[in-house]
Amino acid sequence: MLKLHDELIAKLTNFLTERNYNPVVVANHRLYARAFLDYLAECDIRVESVTPGQVDQYFHYAIEDFQARYGRDPSPRWHKLPRTAISKLLRLAQGKWPPEPELTGPDAAFRHAICCEYEAWLRDERGLASASIAAAMWEARNFLRWQFDRGGGAGLATLNVRDVDLYMDMRGPGLRRKSLADVAERLRSVVRYLHRTGRIPTDLTPHIIGPMLYAYEDVPSTLDTEQIAAVLAAAKTDLSPRGLRDHAILQLLATYGLREGEICRLRLEDVNWREESLHIRHTKTNAHSAMPLLAPVGEALFDYLRHGRPRTEAREVFVRSCAPYIAMTNLYGMVRGRLSAAGVEPPGKRGPHVFRHARAVEMLRASVPQKIIGDVLGHRSTESTNTYLKLATDDLRAVALDVPGMEVLS
């Protein structure tokens, strides 16, 4: 067993080193992994058969050991790095970690089968984007778990309006009207599927009603040209690898109004330097489009690729600035930080979409036809583009007519 443990530590070291982890991080991972393996040896537990419950037991033991050594409790975040090291170790030892939850009993297997079929239906027949499928699947698993806990698999055959009302009442607390409307929409989808496949005899979808939402009732956050210029200028002064990366991303956001996923999925081969074009995969519509590679964007990308991007096998353009050097999946934290550093505080949300909204308003003010705006932004329908009309409030005020008689009243 000790020889196997030594081999695992060596594999972990090579794994981290190949991915350019800092030597201090590698040393800490080795230390935490060794302590965990020593605990397994003391308890006569084989690393290939470790379960999540046994990992939790180890941390109870480690906390007691910490208290005995230092006479105090560890900080709430103390376990974060050891758990990360142990997860990597177990992934190397078992091939996959955490393991798939065990399906015990016929109801659990039945529920799992429904989820797999529903996911395939959303992907293959509905053609939904990955983010939409993920949201729908979360709701489906939650609803089926809730229903099966109440009446088992057989309870689907007697599902009624009162049951779906109880589920909506359970989901409602703490949600805004828009979020609750999204829950109702996703629940209608899964209930419709269950009815179509014969698992629910009655179509209950007409009875799943979310809160009333009015067209264009919320005004999205946006930025004006001065604010965008301030953010870009502030980011450009940061010549660190992370600064070069962030400046290139902000240029893409401000110039083209791309979605977060479209930037995160941008690959090296999507930048055609000879033809000065960008190949964009629109995440919501699964469509593709070509954009001209404008000079400020090209210069920012070139600086990042030459001086800021770490060596990695990832084909995505934008990767994490610290190991593991994998593709970025979220831009919200970066955008919020860069807005704050530039002293820009737009009302409402402060994620990457504020640049998308600003780009739409800029094109509206330049009298660009809505169809072209929709094509640039990757919209499937003009209804999506109509949302941005309400952002050009200054333009609407400029053409407003005086109400007759108002000068008399004033």
Side-chain angles (χ1 to χ4, degrees), residues 217-398:
E217 63 177 273
D218 290 329
V219 177
S221 301
T222 187
L223 302 172
D224 58 38
T225 54
E226 290 79 12
Q227 290 174 318
I228 292 175
V231 175
L232 291 175
K236 192 172 184 179
T237 62
D238 184 353
L239 300 181
S240 68
R242 178 177 293 184
L244 295 174
R245 182 201 66 187
D246 292 354
H247 182 243
I249 292 174
L250 292 169
Q251 283 285 2
L252 285 167
L253 287 169
T255 304
Y256 305 108
L258 298 179
R259 298 183 180 95
E260 174 187 61
E262 292 161 357
I263 291 178
C264 291
R265 290 177 176 81
L266 188 69
R267 298 172 65 84
L268 295 172
E269 56 267 27
D270 293 333
V271 185
N272 191 325
W273 297 99
R274 290 184 180 275
E275 298 183 6
E276 297 184 348
S277 66
L278 288 174
H279 176 244
I280 304 298
R281 301 172 182 84
H282 296 291
T283 50
K284 278 198 172 183
T285 62
N286 293 322
H288 298 247
S289 64
M291 301 284 190
L293 181 60
L294 301 181
V297 178
E299 291 169 4
L301 281 172
F302 183 79
D303 287 342
Y304 167 62
L305 293 173
R306 187 173 184 182
H307 304 294
R309 189 174 185 270
R311 294 181 179 274
T312 173
E313 295 180 359
R315 297 301 299 170
E316 289 79 10
V317 172
F318 299 107
V319 297
R320 286 163 46 98
S321 59
C322 55
Y325 297 125
I326 58 177
M328 297 181 69
T329 57
N330 188 296
L331 303 181
Y332 278 82
M334 182 277 288
V335 170
R336 281 197 300 269
R338 293 299 174 179
L339 289 173
S340 177
V344 174
E345 299 183 359
K349 296 180 180 179
R350 303 180 184 184
H353 248 58
V354 296
F355 290 91
R356 183 173 175 81
H357 299 158
R359 184 70 181 116
V361 172
E362 183 181 1
M363 288 188 285
L364 282 169
R365 289 174 176 163
S367 301
V368 177
Q370 274 188 258
K371 177 63 172 65
I372 296 178
I373 296 175
D375 291 342
V376 171
L377 297 180
H379 287 159
R380 182 175 290 172
S381 68
T382 55
E383 286 299 313
S384 300
T385 312
N386 286 343
T387 304
Y388 300 109
L389 287 171
K390 60 189 173 182
L391 288 168
T393 53
D394 292 339
D395 306 75
L396 296 176
R397 292 191 186 101

Side-chain angles (χ1 to χ4, degrees), residues 23-86:
V24 175
V25 176
V26 176
N28 286 335
H29 274 61
R30 286 171 53 92
L31 179 67
Y32 294 127
R34 176 64 72 183
F36 177 66
L37 291 173
D38 290 344
Y39 168 83
L40 294 182
E42 186 176 334
C43 298
D44 197 23
I45 299 174
R46 295 182 60 83
V47 68
E48 301 91 341
S49 61
V50 170
T51 65
Q54 289 170 328
V55 174
D56 292 337
Q57 290 174 5
Y58 166 72
F59 276 102
H60 286 302
Y61 160 81
I63 288 172
E64 292 176 356
D65 183 64
F66 187 98
Q67 291 168 335
R69 285 171 178 262
Y70 304 104
R72 60 180 177 84
D73 293 333
S75 70
R77 295 172 59 85
W78 167 83
H79 68 282
K80 187 175 181 180
L81 183 56
R83 192 176 289 275
T84 300
I86 291 169

Side-chain angles (χ1 to χ4, degrees), residues 28-222:
N28 286 335
H29 274 61
R30 286 171 53 92
L31 179 67
Y32 294 127
R34 176 64 72 183
F36 177 66
L37 291 173
D38 290 344
Y39 168 83
L40 294 182
E42 186 176 334
C43 298
D44 197 23
I45 299 174
R46 295 182 60 83
V47 68
E48 301 91 341
S49 61
V50 170
T51 65
Q54 289 170 328
V55 174
D56 292 337
Q57 290 174 5
Y58 166 72
F59 276 102
H60 286 302
Y61 160 81
I63 288 172
E64 292 176 356
D65 183 64
F66 187 98
Q67 291 168 335
R69 285 171 178 262
Y70 304 104
R72 60 180 177 84
D73 293 333
S75 70
R77 295 172 59 85
W78 167 83
H79 68 282
K80 187 175 181 180
L81 183 56
R83 192 176 289 275
T84 300
I86 291 169
S87 294
K88 288 185 173 68
L89 178 78
L90 292 174
R91 201 170 293 124
L92 292 172
Q94 299 187 6
K96 183 177 183 180
W97 186 267
E100 293 286 349
E102 294 185 16
L103 299 176
T104 56
D107 285 348
F110 181 41
R111 187 174 73 237
H112 180 70
I114 292 174
C115 289
C116 291
E117 293 172 14
Y118 179 56
E119 184 173 13
W121 179 73
L122 293 172
R123 181 181 61 252
D124 301 334
E125 294 195 31
R126 294 288 308 283
L128 297 185
S130 299
S132 299
I133 292 175
M137 288 306 302
W138 188 95
E139 201 66 57
R141 293 189 185 97
N142 196 57
F143 171 70
L144 290 171
R145 188 183 304 111
W146 176 84
Q147 175 61 23
F148 277 43
D149 287 345
R150 297 170 67 246
L156 284 178
T158 59
L159 192 73
N160 55 44
V161 176
R162 175 172 170 76
D163 293 326
V164 295
D165 285 345
L166 287 173
Y167 178 78
M168 291 296 293
D169 290 341
M170 182 273 294
R171 289 284 280 121
L175 294 182
R176 299 175 59 195
R177 291 169 55 250
K178 176 63 170 66
S179 298
L180 192 56
D182 291 340
V183 171
E185 181 181 355
R186 293 192 291 264
L187 182 60
R188 276 194 295 271
S189 175
V190 67
V191 168
R192 183 182 298 113
Y193 175 78
L194 292 171
H195 173 63
R196 289 183 54 176
T197 54
R199 295 181 173 101
I200 296 178
T202 306
D203 184 9
L204 300 174
T205 53
H207 305 284
I208 303 174
I209 303 172
M212 179 68 72
L213 298 178
Y214 301 96
Y216 320 132
E217 63 177 273
D218 290 329
V219 177
S221 301
T222 187

